[in-house]
Structures are given as structure tokens and as C-alpha cells.
């Protein structure tokens, strides 16, 4: 097409095609023109600017915001009026203009320096409330550069300029919030030892996990009570809410457990532990700590438990007591009958168990004593090795007392003989592995 002719028809412009020797109507007349700005002569520019000045206001002496937005507009002969690079946006700010205290500013600088390639999803969740960005956009990294006090944030991943500016503001507000929350504060929260034990179930490991999980450090007294905690503002607030919710409506009441059942109930009785677990209670320093609506249930159940217990003694010669008191036998009494057997004074055994199991325990101990009363022996066996005698005492059904260079074994003669043979074979095997130590 080398020539055009304007027509008055609605179809547009008539074009002449030399190759076909015919004319056709269509196209855009403006597209056929050469792009130039020759019509913008200096006199015309001066005229236009003079008219535009009437509509403009004078610039402020000092910008009202410390934030600077930088974008670029492109004019080019392309298929779209939107240039691919025009979506890029930058945000520049002087850290001093953010008016943070020195400690918070230090945390802010550390965060920016250490996380310049961090994803948006790693920022503080509070910023989601204002900048509601899709999850796919949160995963995009944003370029950051810190030179002195000047911080520049650059984004170009999103398809529009507005979205990229939102990303810049989103990351800036996220780091500011992180810096504010990292500043440690001290929150006073006074709890006595009993309430503190109730909150953490008398478990030091649980208390340590609570501090690690909630990023706080508890301030405890020598007795075990709580004075307060230290941590970031949000972490402290969350931890205080958790402790306050647990300790709300908790009461303590002193409970006296009569002798000789005190040690048995508090240290050995599984029924007492189950009672406390069922009623969400703990026993600490002669006090029951639980919620106000369950304290009476605990007292009633404890009264029933104490009334079901019995304490009695069984005769047992002194040289047989060690054999009867083997670890395997004691663990069997505790596991099967929830009882406690201890050496008494004057050749006897003291037993605490529920009244329903009294006859069973009596017959077990009596039969055990009678079967070995005349045959049980105690023998010292030389031994210079480190052996797990707790495990072996269960294996051989004997009582073992360990000294520096020997072990004292109490049991049936055949059992003592087996232990001596085991020790000799162990030392022989050790000399075979280490001949220099012989």
C-alpha cells in the first residue's frame, strides 16, 4: 500500500494496493501516520504550561510523609499501552524517620539485614489484617537494600503497579511489627507455689516446654512460685492469657493424711494418682489444688481410699529380709496389688495394702519366707566391672548390694552360684577383649 485517499463513507479510509491494482476501505488512519512530536514546538509548550499553572498548587516546603514511592511510565510503539517494566515499584524510607526507639530500631536493622531474601509469608501475621494478599503473592520474595539509614524496597513480581506497591508496604509494616514485638517487656504475674505447680502439673519439663513454645522466660521464686515473665509483647500477652485461663477458679485446701499411710499414698499408691487425674487435681505440700467445683469430690474419694487401706506386720528373720525384698518381688506387689512392703524393726516386714488384698499378700510373703528360710545364703563375690545389677537382680531373683571391689548376693544357693559363674565368665570375656588390662 503506497497511497491513501480519504473518503466520506462510514467504512474509513480508502487504500490503494499496487500489487493487486485495486482499492479497499478499512484500517486506522492514525496508525498510518509517522510518530513524532514536531507539533510540540517551544511556543506551544510555553502556552500549555501557562494554562496548566492556573490549576496547580505550590509544592509543600517539606513532604508530609517520610515514604517515597518510585514508579516509571514508558511511552513506546508497542502492541499495548502498558509497558512490561511500568509495573515495577519501589518504596524508599529513612529509618530515622520511622521514629522508633533505639532498641526497636536495632531489632529492625537486624531483621532487614538478615532477611533480605525472606518470603512475605514469613512476616508477622498481623500485617495480613490490612494487606489481604493472596497466598501465592505472599510467597514471592521482595528485593530489599539497606545503605546506611536509607532502606529501599523494590517489587516487580505482580502484574500491576498497585499490587507491587502493596507488597512494598506489606513488607515494611511486617518488619516494623516484628521489631516492636521482639523488644522484650516484663509482665508481672504473681502466683504462689501451689497454683504454679497446678498450672504446670508439677513437671519441670512441661514448664520448660511452655517457655520454649511461647518464647517467654518465667521469673520464679526460690520456693517455686511465679513473679512474672519476660518476652516480646505478643508472646507475653499470649502466655498470660493461657496461665490466667488455667488458674481461674482454682482453690487450695490443706489435707492431712494420717500416718503410716502418708508416704504410701503420696509416693506409691496408683489409686491416689488416678483419683487426682480424674478430678484434674494435684497434691503438693500437704495441699490439694483443683477447681472449686471438684474439691469436694477429691476429699470424698480420698476419704474412701484411706478407709479401704490396712497396715500390718509379718514376722521375718533378719537374714531372710534381704531375699524377700528383691526388686522383682516388690515391683510385683506394687503392680498387681498396689501395695507397699518395707523392712520393719525387730525382724518383721511392714505391709500397707487394701484390706481386700491382705490375705493374698500374707500368704505370698509367708510362703516365700518358709521356702527359703533354712537355705538362703549371703555371699560376697569379687567383682571389678561395671555391671547393671538392677537388671540382673530381676533376672536371678536375688538381692544384690554393690561395693567397690565386690558384690554381696543374698538368695537361694543355686541362685548365688549362678551369679558367681556369671561374674567369672564376664571377667574372662573382658580379659579376652583387653589382654593389657589383665
Amino acid at each position: 500500500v503506497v497511497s491513501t485517499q480519504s473518503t466520506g463513507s462510514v467504512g474509513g479510509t480508502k487504500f490503494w494496493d499496487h500489487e493487486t491494482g485495486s482499492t479497499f476501505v478499512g484500517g486506522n488512519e492514525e496508525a498510518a501516520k509517522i510518530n513524532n512530536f514536531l507539533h510540540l514546538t517551544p511556543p506551544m509548550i510555553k502556552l500549555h504550561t501557562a494554562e496548566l499553572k492556573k490549576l496547580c498548587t505550590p509544592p509543600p516546603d517539606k513532604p508530609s510523609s517520610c515514604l517515597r514511592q518510585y514508579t516509571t511510565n514508558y511511552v513506546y510503539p508497542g502492541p499495548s499501552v502498558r509497558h512490561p517494566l511500568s509495573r515495577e515499584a519501589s518504596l524508599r524510607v529513612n529509618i530515622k524517620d520511622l521514629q522508633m526507639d533505639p532498641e526497636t530500631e536495632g531489632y529492625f536493622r537486624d531483621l532487614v539485614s538478615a532477611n533480605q531474601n525472606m518470603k512475605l509469608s514469613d512476616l508477622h501475621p498481623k500485617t495480613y489484617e490490612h494487606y489481604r494478599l493472596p497466598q501465592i503473592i505472599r510467597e514471592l520474595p521482595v528485593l530489599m537494600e539497606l545503605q546506611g539509614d536509607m532502606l529501599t524496597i523494590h517489587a516487580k513480581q505482580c502484574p500491576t503497579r498497585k499490587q507491587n506497591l502493596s507488597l512494598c508496604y506489606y513488607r515494611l509494616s511486617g518488619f516494623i511489627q516484628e521489631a516492636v514485638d521482639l523488644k522484650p517487656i516484663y509482665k508481672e504475674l504473681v502466683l504462689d507455689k501451689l497454683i504454679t505447680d497446678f498450672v504446670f502439673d508439677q513437671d519441670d519439663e512441661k514448664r520448660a516446654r511452655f517457655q520454649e513454645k511461647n518464647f517467654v522466660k518465667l521469673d520464679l521464686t526460690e520456693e517455686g512460685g511465679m513473679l512474672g515473665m519476660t518476652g516480646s509483647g505478643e508472646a507475653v500477652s499470649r502466655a498470660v492469657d493461657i496461665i490466667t485461663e488455667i488458674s481461674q477458679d482454682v482453690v487450695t485446701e490443706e489435707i492431712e493424711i494420717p500416718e503410716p499411710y502418708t508416704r504410701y499414698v503420696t509416693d506409691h499408691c496408683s489409686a491416689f494418682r488416678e483419683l487426682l487425674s480424674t478430678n484434674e487435681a494435684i497434691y503438693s505440700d500437704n495441699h490439694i489444688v483443683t477447681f472449686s467445683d471438684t474439691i469436694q469430690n477429691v476429699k470424698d474419694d480420698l476419704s474412701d481410699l484411706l478407709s479401704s487401706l490396712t497396715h500390718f506386720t509379718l514376722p521375718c528373720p533378719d537374714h531372710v529380709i534381704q531375699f524377700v525384698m528383691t526388686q522383682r518381688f516388690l515391683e510385683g506387689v506394687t503392680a498387681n496389688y498396689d501395695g507397699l512392703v518395707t523392712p520393719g524393726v525387730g525382724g518383721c516386714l511392714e505391709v500397707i495394702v487394701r484390706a481386700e488384698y491382705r490375705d493374698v499378700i500374707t500368704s505370698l510373703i509367708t510362703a516365700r519366707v518358709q521356702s527359703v528360710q533354712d537355705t538362703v545364703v549371703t555371699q560376697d563375690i569379687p567383682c571389678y566391672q561395671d555391671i547393671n545389677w538392677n537388671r540382673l537382680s530381676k533376672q536371678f531373683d536375688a538381692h544384690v548390694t554393690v561395693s567397690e571391689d565386690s558384690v554381696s548376693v543374698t538368695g537361694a544357693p543355686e541362685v548365688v552360684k549362678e551369679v558367681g559363674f556369671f561374674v567369672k565368665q564376664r571377667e574372662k570375656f573382658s580379659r579376652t577383649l583387653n589382654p593389657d588390662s589383665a
Side-chain angles (χ1 to χ4, degrees), residues 117-135:
N117 294 322
M118 188 173 66
K119 294 180 180 180
L120 294 171
S121 59
D122 298 330
L123 293 180
H124 200 282
K126 279 188 176 181
T127 55
Y128 296 167
E129 300 174 1
H130 182 69
Y131 299 98
R132 300 186 181 276
L133 304 176
Q135 182 65 31

Side-chain angles (χ1 to χ4, degrees), residues 169-362:
Y169 279 104
Y170 178 84
R171 187 158 202 190
L172 177 63
S173 60
F175 273 107
I176 293 177
Q177 186 66 51
E178 289 278 1
V180 171
D181 287 347
L182 282 175
K183 181 181 179 181
I185 63 172
Y186 181 83
K187 177 71 173 180
E188 183 177 350
L189 182 63
V190 180
L191 298 176
D192 59 19
K193 180 183 182 300
L194 297 177
I195 302 298
T196 304
D197 290 342
F198 178 81
V199 171
F200 300 108
D201 293 336
Q202 298 175 298
D203 189 353
D204 294 338
E205 292 185 0
K206 182 176 181 180
R207 185 172 59 202
R209 290 194 302 269
F210 177 84
Q211 297 181 89
E212 181 179 355
K213 181 179 179 179
N214 294 277
F215 304 102
V216 295
K217 183 178 180 181
L218 302 179
D219 183 14
L220 304 176
T221 63
E222 295 181 358
E223 294 78 12
M226 184 187 302
L227 297 177
M229 64 184 67
T230 304
S232 63
E234 183 180 6
V236 167
S237 178
R238 181 173 60 251
V240 169
D241 292 341
I242 294 174
I243 294 177
T244 302
E245 182 179 359
I246 296 176
S247 60
Q248 188 177 7
D249 199 26
V250 173
V251 296
T252 62
E253 185 168 339
E254 186 175 4
I255 300 293
E256 183 178 355
I257 300 177
E259 293 292 346
Y261 303 115
T262 304
R263 177 171 170 266
Y264 165 74
V265 170
T266 57
D267 298 340
H268 300 278
C269 185
S270 60
F272 181 66
R273 293 193 295 270
E274 183 178 354
L275 179 155
L276 296 177
S277 177
T278 303
N279 294 278
E280 296 183 346
I282 66 168
Y283 179 81
S284 177
D285 295 340
N286 299 328
H287 286 76
I288 294 292
V289 186
T290 185
F291 298 105
S292 58
D293 55 348
T294 59
I295 184 66
Q296 189 60 42
N297 296 337
V298 176
K299 294 168 62 178
D300 295 341
D301 293 344
L302 179 59
S303 177
D304 295 341
L305 174 63
L306 293 176
S307 62
S308 67
L309 298 178
T310 180
H311 171 255
F312 60 96
T313 59
L314 293 175
C316 182
D318 292 336
H319 69 283
V320 180
I321 288 180
Q322 284 187 330
F323 175 72
V324 175
M325 297 289 293
T326 59
Q327 187 172 357
R328 188 169 70 174
F329 175 76
L330 295 178
E331 289 181 355
V333 171
T334 302
N336 298 322
Y337 307 104
D338 199 13
L340 176 65
V341 180
T342 57
V345 180
C348 67
L349 296 176
E350 294 188 8
V351 183
I352 300 177
V353 72
R354 290 192 178 187
E356 56 187 293
Y357 298 129
R358 175 170 181 165
D359 295 339
V360 177
I361 296 295
T362 301

Side-chain angles (χ1 to χ4, degrees), residues 6 19 30 40 45 54 58 77 132 134 156 161 164 257 264 285-286 332 356 358 361 363-364 366 372 374 394 426:
S6 178
E19 294 181 359
E30 295 297 327
L40 293 178
I45 294 177
K54 300 176 182 179
R132 300 186 181 276
K156 60 179 180 180
R161 177 185 299 174
N164 284 316
I257 300 177
Y264 165 74
D285 295 340
N286 299 328
E356 56 187 293
R358 175 170 181 165
I361 296 295
S363 59
L364 283 175
T366 302
V372 297
D374 299 329
K394 299 179 184 179
R426 181 70 176 265

Side-chain angles (χ1 to χ4, degrees), residues 121-151:
S121 59
D122 298 330
L123 293 180
H124 200 282
K126 279 188 176 181
T127 55
Y128 296 167
E129 300 174 1
H130 182 69
Y131 299 98
R132 300 186 181 276
L133 304 176
Q135 182 65 31
I136 188 172
I137 295 180
R138 295 179 187 174
E139 294 295 332
L140 297 175
V142 178
L143 301 179
M144 301 184 66
E145 183 180 3
L146 180 62
Q147 295 181 346
D149 294 336
M150 191 60 63
L151 172 64

